[in-house]
């Protein structure tokens, strides 16, 4: 991504070479990433005898077999998803990132309430990791749960650059026999177009007629790969996406060559689901089974049993399943689009289901995050809201500009808040497209006892209110996790000092 001018201005003001030199200057508008308050926050998370977990990621061009199609792409090492990283809550994670890509990159630790200078946002929390250079991330992982990592540089996430980060509880309750992690993705890279080509097409498509632009139904008029005027809509989401993908993947495989998840009949499985897609929400169901949702974005919820689950980009869910006897399709329908990802659940001999299997559960009860309640242990303490911010989500396919409060990032000012405040964010969707809104460095709570989360789907014309406690000073990106919307402007920051 070409560095955006205002980001450069921000960085210029901070002085990338000398963050420390200005850290004493307590401006609320731009908190230096390595401010004293950031260091103090990290010191509070650290414990003596803290375990150190080290890992290494090499971002590089490679070719990947998706289970038939072989694509040239960028990945961490030679697999998609990248290496599974695993630590326990309270551990110190040290990850060296070697950048062998032809361009600069970064790694963001999605959902982790970490120190701001390790958040991985180039131009805001660190300098980009230049081609051929390395950067070592080092931070305490405070909370258990299912997380993932990906670049925060342009639309690199829509390549093969993502992987799961699991943080275990120090005292694992272990109320399951088997654990599976399934990462979902929408795939275009190496099929004749790169994600950068897709973004260029979206921006160049001009949204067809002005009418369509104002209808904002996600009906782009771009070349192949954007929607060709075909409306991608869903009863659950309204405008469901801007990009038609040739493939949908579960753990890096197309449905014709799915991964197999093995268990014995009657075993209890903890299934961790991650949506690493860039423009696709998935409706997930397991044929012949019901799912008991136990965690959303890493944090426990009051368990809910459902037929299917809707997962926006950037969301994660943990579910418990008691496995039946046979072979079953775990289907992730590309919501509002044509196609699906698939994994096979196998506990006995049997004929595998078709690649396009559509278990009845997909049409049963579908749970969204707004249907969930936080578990008692993680409910935000009730208190007065000190500061509210409205985030009006706008934009359309016309000109492909997506905005928060009318501004496309990097225009617009950071939303001011102060340390210690209870902050309410009101995401008000004024467009006809759904937006999975994500806040860095915090796990907010949907108001009135709703789930703790870091990413929440906001449907067209819907308002979703979330509360967070400003207890992690820094500059934190707040943005749509549709990576094309984010790159087209739907990002802002919240910013505060201790
Ligand atoms: Cu996974 Cu700024 O996002
Ligand atoms: Cu969006």
């Amino acid at each position: 991504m070409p560095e955006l001018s205002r980001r450069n201005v921000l960085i210029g003001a901070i002085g990338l070479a000398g963050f420390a030199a200005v850290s004493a200057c307590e401006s609320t508008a731009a908190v230096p990433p390595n401010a004293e308050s950031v260091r103090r926050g990290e010191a509070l998370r650290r414990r003596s005898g803290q375990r150190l977990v080290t890992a290494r990621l090499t971002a590089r061009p490679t070719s990947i077999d998706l289970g038939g199609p072989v694509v040239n792409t960028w990945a961490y090492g030679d697999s998609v998803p990248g290496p599974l990283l695993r630590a326990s809550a309270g551990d110190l994670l040290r990850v060296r990132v070697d950048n062998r890509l032809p361009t600069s990159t970064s790694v963001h630790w999605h959902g982790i309430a970490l120190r701001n200078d390790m958040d991985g946002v180039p131009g805001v929390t660190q300098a980009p990791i230049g081609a051929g250079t390395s950067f070592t991330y080092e931070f305490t992982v405070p909370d258990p749960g299912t997380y993932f990592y990906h670049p925060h540089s342009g639309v690199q996430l829509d390549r093969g650059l993502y992987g799961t980060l699991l943080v275990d509880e120090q005292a694992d309750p272990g109320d399951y026999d088997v654990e599976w992690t399934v990462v979902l993705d929408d795939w275009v890279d190496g099929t004749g177009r790169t994600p950068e080509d897709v973004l260029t097409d979206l921006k160049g498509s001009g949204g067809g007629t002005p009418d369509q632009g104002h209808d904002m139904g996600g009906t782009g008029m771009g070349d192949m790969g954007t929607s060709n005027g075909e409306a991608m809509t869903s009863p659950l989401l309204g405008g469901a996406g801007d990009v038609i993908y040739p493939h949908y993947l579960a753990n890096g495989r197309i449905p014709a060559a799915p991964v197999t998840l093995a268990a014995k009949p009657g075993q209890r499985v903890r299934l961790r689901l991650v949506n690493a897609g860039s423009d696709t929400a998935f409706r997930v169901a397991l044929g012949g089974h019901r799912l008991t949702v136990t965690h959303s974005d890493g944090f426990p919820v009051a368990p809910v049993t459902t037929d299917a689950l809707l997962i926006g980009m950037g969301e994660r869910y943990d579910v418990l399943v008691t496995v039946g006897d046979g072979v079953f399709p775990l289907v992730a329908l590309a919501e509002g689009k044509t196609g699906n990802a698939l994994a096979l659940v196998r506990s006995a001999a049997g004929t595998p289901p078709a690649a396009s299997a559509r278990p009845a559960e997909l049409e049963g009860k579908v749970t969204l995050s707004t249907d969930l309640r936080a578990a008692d242990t993680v409910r935000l303490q009730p208190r007065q809201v000190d500061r509210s911010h409205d985030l009006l989500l706008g934009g359309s396919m016309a000109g492909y500009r997506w905005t928060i409060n009318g501004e496309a990032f990097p225009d617009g000012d950071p939303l001011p808040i102060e340390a210690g405040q209870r902050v309410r964010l009101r995401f008000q969707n004024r467009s006809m497209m759904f937006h999975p809104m994500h806040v860095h460095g915090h796990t907010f709570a949907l108001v009135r006892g709703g789930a703790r989360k870091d990413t929440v789907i906001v449907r067209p014309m819907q308002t979703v209110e979330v509360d967070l406690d400003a207890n992690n000073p820094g500059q934190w990106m707040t943005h749509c996790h549709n990576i094309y919307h984010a790159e087209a402007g739907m990002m802002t920051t919240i910013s505060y000092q201790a």
Side-chain angles (χ1 to χ4, degrees), residues 402 433-437 480-482 485-486 490:
W402 295 93
M433 171 76 68
F434 87 98
H435 304 289
M437 296 305 296
C480 177
H481 221 276
N482 179 312
H485 292 185
M490 195 172 268

Side-chain angles (χ1 to χ4, degrees), residues 380 383 385 422-425 443-448 452 465-469:
L380 275 192
R383 67 175 262 199
V385 171
R422 167 69 53 90
V423 178
R424 177 160 297 177
L425 303 178
T443 296
F444 52 67
L446 273 63
V447 293
R448 289 175 282 281
R452 295 292 301 274
E465 297 180 294
V466 306
D467 288 345
L468 62 84
D469 284 334

Side-chain angles (χ1 to χ4, degrees), residues 108-111 119-121 148-152 157 275 313-316 438-440 454-455 476-481 483 486 491:
H108 169 60
W109 311 93
H110 180 116
D119 195 44
V121 182
F148 75 126
Y149 61 90
H150 63 77
H152 222 282
L157 165 61
N275 183 351
M313 300 82 85
E315 286 190 295
R316 294 90 58 213
H438 174 50
V439 178
H440 286 205
D454 52 69
T455 310
W476 300 105
M477 302 306 296
T478 299
H479 64 90
C480 177
H481 221 276
I483 205 67
M491 293 202 279

